[in-house]
Amino acid sequence: MAKNFDLVVIGAGPGGYIAAIRAAQLGLSVACVDAWSDTKGKPAPGGTCTNVGCIPSKALLQSSEHYEQADKHFADHGIKVKGLDLDLKTLLGRKDKVVGENNQGILFLFKKNKVTYFHGTASFNAKVDAGWSINVAGDKPEELIAKQVVVATGSSAREFPGLPFDEEQILSNDGALRLTDVPKKLGVIGAGVIGLELGSVWRRLGSEVTVLEGSPEFLAAADRDVAKEALKAFKKQGLEINLGVKVDSVDAGKHVKVKYHDAEGKEHKAEFDKLVVAIGRVPNTQGLGAETVGLKLDERGFVEVDEDCRTNLPNVWAVGDVVRGPMLAHKAEEEGVAVAERIAGQQPHVNFDTIPWVIYTSPEIAWVGKNEQELKKEGREYRAGQFPFMANGRARALGDTTGFVKVLADAKTDEVLGIHIVGPTASELIAEGVVIMEFRGAAEDIARICHAHPTLSEAMKEAALAVDKRALNF
């Protein structure tokens, strides 16, 4: 017998589980269907973010950072380490524990908010009088009838043409998080967020890492000054980063052999123990039953939605990686909340102009709003203020003075148009920039706010002062 709900959410990643919880808070009867399982076959809600993305990668970044600090930097603090040894099994076990705790946390939140959870693969069956018929395939097949549906099926790693992932030698982000040995030589195709973060993890743990990037520009989406500073720091650490590369062939035998041309057209041959392919992601819409009910997809497989995340079908919505816009967990969460509130009759708003971007390398990279090249292209008159962490007392005490904070403000109104950070805890510092921009604040507003001393956040204040050429400590 079919089970009826006000809302069925397909997918329990950041967009899906947050949408389900918010809708339940607003009084709707809600079901959430998700197929993800852990290594023991148990339900593992949380999507790519929790299982093979944000959470496990940050756990490994933290562990690898500790290892590198002990190996190379503790001595600067008078701490001598003898017989340093890497227990990779324990390191990976900690990562898995962190992931499992997050999985269980989501299941707890479902129970707390009275969201009914189904472990299985959901697909559209038909339009019915009461709404939409959804099939759930799994250990316990179900039919659900939903007045409203939210598609939040996320994305998967894009394969290199003609080179499927085997997760043994040719690795997606999933395989790169599960290596049981530190590869002597690791190749990475793609110098985006995933490629840089995973490359950083294994470099710290002892791999020789070579990154092959097709774009002639490093981090093309970032501010040029930030990208230049980050590239310099990564190369100093030992990451070999090649730009403007055209990969000609990949042969996975005993080792992975890659032939490629560099930006000058010169041919190269490289051999790696493992190869990580991080060239973007594709939406998970196969098996959704979109064609069965006429759910419109674009030419790349994304669910087509309007600015409010409505699809072409009545009472069917879509959020997160499966729709247009940046593939960011926090963007998916904001859309999930907004859709739940729209279903409940409210009028929420998601400001895509103030969604922050973060790369969790060392140094961290974060930004919100426009960068200098974008403002120049638009012909927008602006003023820029920049402050280096080398002039920040807390950064000196931490022993990490790489990078800077840059504030961009309108030349006439002083409204903050963008904030760009490369340096320690940039991921946390950017929140102040998001808040000031959300309230359309001015650089002067940041400059007049009292920031605690000594803190890294003082660099934000000083960069805002520098917009008016009155920085106090540089």
Side-chain angles (χ1 to χ4, degrees):
M1 181 179 293
K3 298 177 180 178
N4 291 269
F5 295 91
D6 294 326
L7 170 65
V8 169
V9 180
I10 302 175
Y17 89 78
I18 288 294
I21 289 171
R22 182 64 184 129
Q25 290 176 344
L26 292 168
L28 279 68
S29 61
V30 182
C32 187
V33 186
D34 189 81
W36 213 296
S37 302
D38 64 16
T39 55
K40 297 179 181 179
K42 294 182 178 179
T48 293
C49 174
T50 296
N51 291 292
V52 294
C54 316
I55 302 304
S57 64
K58 302 314 163 285
L60 287 188
L61 281 161
Q62 186 65 60
S63 296
S64 64
E65 178 72 9
H66 286 326
Y67 180 79
E68 184 166 66
Q69 287 290 323
D71 187 33
K72 297 181 179 179
H73 304 295
F74 274 8
D76 296 339
H77 298 266
I79 303 170
K80 297 182 179 180
V81 178
K82 294 182 179 180
L84 182 67
D85 187 36
L86 175 64
D87 183 347
L88 187 58
K89 183 178 180 180
T90 299
L91 187 149
L92 294 173
R94 176 186 177 275
K95 178 260 297 180
D96 292 339
K97 181 182 178 182
V98 170
V99 169
E101 288 170 347
N102 279 268
N103 296 144
Q104 292 305 309
I106 294 169
L107 291 171
F108 167 79
L109 290 171
F110 281 161
K111 186 176 181 180
K112 174 185 175 183
N113 290 280
K114 297 181 173 58
V115 173
T116 304
Y117 173 74
F118 293 93
H119 186 215
T121 301
S123 61
F124 284 97
N125 182 37
K127 179 77 173 71
V128 294
D129 291 340
W132 296 96
S133 171
I134 304 294
N135 284 331
V136 179
D139 293 337
K140 297 180 180 179
E142 301 274 3
E143 182 188 3
L144 311 180
I145 304 297
K147 295 178 182 177
Q148 307 267 351
V149 178
V150 174
V151 177
T153 46
S155 64
S156 300
R158 182 189 299 276
E159 293 182 339
F160 190 84
L163 189 70
F165 295 116
D166 61 16
E167 306 301 9
E168 293 292 334
Q169 285 184 301
I170 310 301
L171 312 173
S172 68
N173 53 295
D174 187 4
L177 290 165
R178 300 180 185 276
L179 290 173
T180 55
D181 295 292
V182 178
K184 183 178 180 181
K185 291 186 176 183
L186 177 69
V188 180
I189 299 179
V193 176
I194 295 172
L196 291 174
E197 290 185 358
L198 292 174
S200 293
V201 165
W202 294 106
R203 179 203 61 77
R204 291 171 187 167
L205 297 178
S207 291
E208 296 176 23
V209 179
T210 300
V211 181
L212 306 175
E213 167 59 41
S215 172
E217 289 189 350
F218 181 66
L219 292 179
D223 184 272
R224 287 297 86 210
D225 287 341
V226 167
K228 183 179 179 181
E229 180 76 5
L231 181 60
K232 181 174 68 175
F234 295 147
K235 286 186 174 181
K236 184 178 179 181
Q237 293 167 6
L239 274 180
E240 182 183 335
I241 299 175
N242 300 278
L243 303 174
V245 167
K246 180 183 181 298
V247 177
D248 301 309
S249 66
V250 179
D251 178 25
K254 184 177 180 181
H255 298 282
V256 183
K257 298 178 180 178
V258 180
K259 292 182 181 180
Y260 65 94
H261 282 79
D262 63 22
E264 284 73 42
K266 184 179 179 181
E267 186 178 76
H268 296 266
K269 295 180 181 179
E271 189 172 292
F272 306 109
D273 298 299
K274 308 284 183 181
L275 180 68
V276 178
V277 177
I279 56 173
R281 301 184 65 78
V282 295
N284 291 331
T285 48
Q286 290 188 348
L288 181 61
E291 66 287 346
T292 302
V293 292
L295 178 64
K296 192 173 182 180
L297 309 180
D298 69 14
E299 66 279 2
R300 296 181 298 162
F302 289 91
V303 178
E304 289 197 358
V305 293
D306 65 12
E307 61 183 9
D308 291 332
C309 294
R310 292 183 178 88
T311 73
N312 65 304
L313 300 179
N315 300 326
V316 177
W317 314 71
V319 302
D321 284 8
V322 80
V323 304
R324 80 289 177 267
M327 289 183 168
L328 300 169
H330 43 282
K331 173 259 195 184
E333 290 180 347
E334 295 304 309
E335 288 180 329
V337 168
V339 164
E341 292 177 350
R342 288 178 187 126
I343 290 171
Q346 299 183 10
Q347 295 181 320
H349 173 65
V350 177
N351 185 357
F352 287 93
D353 293 331
T354 56
I355 293 176
W357 292 72
V358 180
I359 304 175
Y360 295 87
T361 46
S362 180
E364 289 189 348
I365 301 164
W367 70 86
V368 62
K370 303 284 188 179
N371 57 43
E372 284 207 65
Q373 56 265 34
E374 289 172 329
L375 293 174
K376 288 176 180 176
K377 186 176 181 179
E378 293 174 4
R380 185 86 176 257
E381 294 185 8
Y382 67 94
R383 296 186 299 165
Q386 190 166 309
F387 187 81
F389 283 108
M390 63 179 281
N392 176 271
R394 184 65 187 278
R396 289 184 186 135
L398 288 173
D400 187 356
T401 58
T402 302
F404 56 82
V405 176
K406 178 193 279 191
V407 175
L408 304 175
D410 186 274
K412 296 178 180 178
T413 67
D414 198 40
E415 179 184 348
V416 175
L417 305 175
I419 294 180
H420 306 269
I421 309 172
V422 54
T425 70
S427 59
E428 302 293 341
L429 296 173
I430 199 62
E432 182 175 359
V434 175
V435 170
I436 203 75
M437 288 189 63
E438 190 64 38
F439 285 91
R440 300 194 67 177
E444 182 71 8
D445 292 322
I446 301 175
R448 291 292 179 183
I449 294 171
C450 182
H451 290 66
H453 175 77
T455 60
L456 296 170
S457 68
E458 289 177 286
M460 182 79 77
K461 177 186 178 80
E462 290 279 1
L465 285 166
V467 169
D468 196 37
K469 294 183 169 54
R470 55 191 175 96
L472 299 170
N473 285 284
F474 184 70

